[in-house]
């Protein structure tokens, strides 16, 4: 029986990939059948036998090209993360990758994060792809703006890498709540101020019957301080300078942002203030397993939602009869709001598999062949069935299972500018505590305990002291700088480098 299952599994796999292999090889010119090696390195620590990487990116290519052997080149000496000795700094994955790219036996293809792409381009380590695209008439016109325009922006208008898939967010809204309030539905290309004004029209009620106009998340009891990073990212607001030596929050722009959001909280546009010391008021039960989600519970008119969350909402609506406490939601999505100063720029886009060709590639022909393959139409068709990642080609971005919603909202946006702070967080592992000071000061503002500018000045002062202490002793916890009432609860807070 096990043998039969194994044969069926292999047969299904071949049935899926064989058409793709044929489609992607039928137009290629005949090449020598002797084995060639294509070397790939990443800044993510994948090793030679990494099953996830091979399943995601290389297995189908190798099946279609049996004479090309893929070698994944490790860029760290210890892929299992050996504990650091006292005072020892963690290695910088990007610097290690750049070192390998310039070594004696360099990789042909490299994969990086979007935050790292500009650095590698500016270091003149990647081959410009535009001439290759033109030569082979490789069609990029069908690639979504969220990907192709974002990649061009990193290369100052030129392409040095491509990305086959991405994840993104959009503004979801509850149609019934807008109809009941007599308000117009949200639309694409709205500004943040327009969204906030619309939210005021639908927010109403108190206590358990309260309807909130907007939230940066659909989850109950969201922390507004961390949620608002979606709002501040396109403004390129920074908490500290690029060297992590000085805070940069005692400014008019920070004051404007905090003042606006604090007033919206006071106007009951956002959900109630998050208090980590209190348990969740709404617990999951058998009648309504979605009580933790304000949108799916009908308590939220608009919220930011990731594409991966859509399948849960669709499934819940289809199976509503099985949940006594759940009422189906009539919904749709529009593009992320943007600022007047950064129209069309959203803050929640992540490109997967950003790959380019090393200028020192020993096998540039196969490197370009591989990049074309995983960014081609047939690959997009195969990968378009994912419920969590979106393919970069618009042709294969369609709602699944007969659903009808505004899919374009997830890709007609540009990624927000971001700074790669991972190096700083490696040098100063307790840097997240600087954010926690800001979170507590913002809580004081929301509770009416402190004026906005006074809270920012306090954050600046305490943060400067903490940064100084961290520079003097990077491995020290640094909590001695903060008064006890500034630490807040013991809730662990994850660092969010994108906000700097």
């Amino acid at each position: 029986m096990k043998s039969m299952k194994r044969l069926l599994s292999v047969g299904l796999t071949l049935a899926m990939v064989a058409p793709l292999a044929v489609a992607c090889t039928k137009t290629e010119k005949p090449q020598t059948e002797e084995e060639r090696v294509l070397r790939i390195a990443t800044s993510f620590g994948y090793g030679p036998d990494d099953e996830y990487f091979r399943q995601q990116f290389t297995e189908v290519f190798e099946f279609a090209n049996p004479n090309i052997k893929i070698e994944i080149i490790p860029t760290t000496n210890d892929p299992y993360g050996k504990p650091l000795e006292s005072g020892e700094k963690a290695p910088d994955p990007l610097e290690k990758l750049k070192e390998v790219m310039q070594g004696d036996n360099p990789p042909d293809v490299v994969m990086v994060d979007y935050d790292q792409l500009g650095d590698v381009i500016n270091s003149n380590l990647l081959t410009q792809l535009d001439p290759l695209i033109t030569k082979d008439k490789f069609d990029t016109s069908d690639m979504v703006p969220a990907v192709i325009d974002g990649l061009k922006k990193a290369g100052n208008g030129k392409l040095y890498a491509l990305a086959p898939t991405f994840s993104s967010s959009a503004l979801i809204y509850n149609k019934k709540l807008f109809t009941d309030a007599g308000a117009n539905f949200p639309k694409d290309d709205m500004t943040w101020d327009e969204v906030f004004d619309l939210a005021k029209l639908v927010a109403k009620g108190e206590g358990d019957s309260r309807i909130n106009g907007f939230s940066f998340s659909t989850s109950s009891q969201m922390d507004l301080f961390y949620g608002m990073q979606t709002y501040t990212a396109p403004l390129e607001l920074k908490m500290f300078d690029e060297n992590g030596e000085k805070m940069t929050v005692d400014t008019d722009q920070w004051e404007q942002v905090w003042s606006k959001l604090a007033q919206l909280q006071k106007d009951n546009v956002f959900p109630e203030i998050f208090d980590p010391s209190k348990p969740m008021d709404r617990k999951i039960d058998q009648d309504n397993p979605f009580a933790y989600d304000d949108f799916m519970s009908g308590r939220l008119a608009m919220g930011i939602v990731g594409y991966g969350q859509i399948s849960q909402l669709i499934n819940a609506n289809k199976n509503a009869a099985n949940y006594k406490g759940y009422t189906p939601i009539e919904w749709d999505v529009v593009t992320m709001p943007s600022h007047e100063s950064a129209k069309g720029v959203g803050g929640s886009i992540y490109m997967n598999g950003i790959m380019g060709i090393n200028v020192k590639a020993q096998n540039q022909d196969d490197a370009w062949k591989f990049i074309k393959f995983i960014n081609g139409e047939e690959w997009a068709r195969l990968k378009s069935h994912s419920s969590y990642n979106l393919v970069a080609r618009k042709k294969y971005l369609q709602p699944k299972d007969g659903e009808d919603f505004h899919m374009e909202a997830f890709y007609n946006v540009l990624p927000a500018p971001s700074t790669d702070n991972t190096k700083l967080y490696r040098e100063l592992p307790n840097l997240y505590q600087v954010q926690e000071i800001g979170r507590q000061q913002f809580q004081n503002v929301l509770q009416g305990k402190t004026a906005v500018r006074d809270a920012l000045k306090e954050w600046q002062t305490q943060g400067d002291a903490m940064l100084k202490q961290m520079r003097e002793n990077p491995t020290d916890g640094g909590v001695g700088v903060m008064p006890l009432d500034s630490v807040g609860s013991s809730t662990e807070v994850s660092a969010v480098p994108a906000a700097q």
Side-chain angles (χ1 to χ4, degrees):
M1 181 62 71
K2 288 183 179 179
S3 298
M4 180 62 69
K5 288 182 178 179
R6 191 177 298 113
L7 286 172
L8 286 172
S9 177
V10 171
L12 287 171
T13 301
L14 291 174
M16 289 180 65
V17 303
L20 175 59
V22 171
C24 293
T25 57
K26 64 183 180 181
T27 59
E28 298 290 340
K29 296 179 180 179
Q31 292 184 336
T32 176
E33 291 301 314
E34 67 180 38
E35 184 176 88
R36 303 190 299 275
V37 175
L38 181 66
R39 294 164 57 82
I40 302 176
T42 82
S43 61
F44 301 100
Y46 293 119
D49 302 314
D50 193 282
E51 184 176 0
Y52 171 80
F53 183 86
R54 289 188 178 275
Q55 286 178 344
Q56 289 294 308
F57 300 110
T58 69
E59 282 187 345
V60 179
F61 178 80
E62 288 186 281
F63 179 83
N65 299 274
N67 60 318
I68 300 178
K69 178 183 177 182
I70 300 285
E71 286 187 1
I72 302 174
I73 311 303
T75 55
T76 56
N77 294 329
D78 182 8
Y80 300 103
K82 180 186 70 174
L84 298 176
E85 299 293 335
S86 177
E88 182 183 3
K89 290 185 178 180
D92 184 337
L94 180 58
E95 292 303 319
K96 293 292 292 185
L97 175 64
K98 289 162 68 175
E99 181 182 321
V100 170
M101 291 176 69
Q102 301 170 80
D104 294 333
N105 192 16
D108 304 298
V109 175
V110 293
M111 184 171 82
V112 296
D113 202 356
Y114 184 74
D115 292 341
Q116 302 167 335
L117 181 58
D119 186 317
V120 181
I121 292 173
N122 293 332
S123 298
N124 299 314
L125 297 177
L126 290 180
T127 298
Q128 186 183 339
L129 299 182
D130 300 274
L132 299 174
I133 290 171
T134 301
K135 178 184 176 183
D136 289 0
K137 297 180 180 180
F138 182 68
D139 184 19
T140 61
S141 63
D142 189 45
M143 292 186 174
V144 300
V147 172
I148 198 72
D149 291 346
L151 293 171
K152 286 181 179 179
K153 187 174 182 179
N156 295 314
K158 300 175 182 178
L159 276 176
Y160 289 86
L162 292 173
T165 62
F166 69 104
S167 56
S168 182
S169 298
L171 180 70
I172 193 169
Y173 63 94
N174 183 318
K175 291 184 177 181
K176 182 178 184 301
L177 296 181
F178 278 87
T179 300
D180 291 347
N184 293 327
F185 291 159
K187 57 186 180 181
D188 283 347
D189 304 319
M190 295 181 73
T191 66
W192 281 106
D193 286 342
E194 288 172 334
V195 168
F196 294 149
D197 288 342
L198 195 56
K200 293 175 184 178
L201 298 178
V202 292
K204 64 178 183 179
E206 299 291 339
D208 290 341
S209 62
R210 176 175 174 177
I211 300 298
N212 298 300
F214 172 82
S215 178
F216 290 104
S217 169
T218 62
S219 297
S220 295
Q221 294 187 314
M222 178 209 68
D223 190 317
L224 183 57
F225 175 78
Y226 289 104
M228 72 175 173
Q229 294 187 16
T230 299
Y231 179 84
T232 60
L235 295 173
E236 300 186 69
L237 278 180
K238 303 181 186 301
M239 284 191 287
F240 39 77
D241 62 26
E242 61 183 10
N243 296 318
E245 296 174 344
K246 189 75 175 175
M247 297 294 293
T248 58
V249 296
D250 185 11
T251 66
D252 292 343
Q253 192 174 23
W254 271 103
E255 183 179 14
Q256 290 168 7
V257 168
W258 276 27
S259 296
K260 178 186 289 290
L261 297 184
Q263 185 60 49
L264 290 168
Q265 180 71 67
K266 187 177 180 180
D267 294 340
N268 292 327
V269 171
F270 299 141
E272 60 189 354
I273 298 174
F274 173 69
D275 186 348
S277 67
K278 295 181 180 180
M280 289 282 288
D281 293 331
R282 305 177 179 99
K283 296 181 180 179
I284 299 175
D285 55 44
Q286 291 183 345
D287 287 343
N288 185 7
F290 310 110
Y292 65 89
D293 189 292
D294 283 342
F295 188 83
M296 294 182 69
S297 297
R299 298 187 296 265
L300 181 64
M302 293 182 287
I304 304 301
V305 64
Y307 177 71
Q309 296 173 257
I310 295 297
S311 59
Q312 182 185 51
L313 178 57
I314 291 173
N315 290 334
N317 279 351
K318 287 182 176 179
N319 297 285
N322 298 327
Y323 310 117
K324 289 190 297 183
Y326 178 73
T327 301
I329 304 292
E330 189 179 359
W331 61 278
D332 207 342
V333 289
V334 296
T335 55
M336 287 278 292
S338 60
H339 296 280
E340 284 286 358
S341 60
K343 291 289 289 183
V345 177
S348 304
I349 299 169
Y350 182 82
M351 299 184 207
N352 305 302
I354 300 176
M355 296 195 202
I357 302 173
N358 186 4
V359 292
K360 293 189 66 175
Q362 302 171 85
N363 187 359
Q364 187 183 84
D365 289 344
D366 285 336
W368 174 230
K369 183 176 183 179
F370 171 72
I371 289 177
K372 282 195 301 181
F373 185 93
I374 66 170
N375 289 281
E377 278 206 23
E378 290 300 320
W379 176 272
R381 181 181 61 81
L382 183 66
K383 293 292 185 177
S384 64
H385 304 293
S386 172
S387 296
Y388 299 95
N389 285 325
L390 296 156
V391 294
R393 291 191 174 272
K394 285 182 279 189
K395 180 179 178 180
Y396 299 101
L397 289 175
Q398 303 292 334
K400 301 176 183 61
D401 303 323
E403 293 295 322
D404 182 19
F405 62 90
H406 185 42
M407 175 70 83
E408 292 88 346
F410 286 101
Y411 60 78
N412 282 335
V413 289
L414 291 174
S418 58
T419 303
D420 183 15
N421 289 321
T422 53
K423 183 176 181 179
L424 274 179
Y425 280 89
R426 280 191 301 273
E427 293 178 354
L428 306 173
N430 297 299
L431 191 56
Y432 74 92
Q433 293 179 5
V434 172
Q435 296 186 75
E436 179 61 14
I437 299 174
R439 190 197 69 80
Q440 183 58 47
Q441 290 300 324
F442 188 62
Q443 288 292 101
N444 290 341
V445 170
L446 295 180
Q447 295 168 3
K449 297 178 180 179
T450 312
V452 170
R453 196 56 180 250
D454 291 340
L456 289 169
K457 288 182 181 296
E458 187 65 20
W459 187 13
Q460 177 88 23
T461 300
Q462 290 192 36
D464 282 344
M466 178 171 283
L467 289 174
K468 183 175 183 295
Q469 180 174 324
M470 288 181 183
R471 284 294 177 189
E472 293 171 352
N473 188 359
T475 59
D476 184 71
V479 295
V481 175
M482 290 187 292
L484 290 176
D485 63 355
S486 294
V487 179
S489 75
S490 59
T491 302
E492 182 175 308
V493 181
S494 299
V496 186
Q500 197 185 12

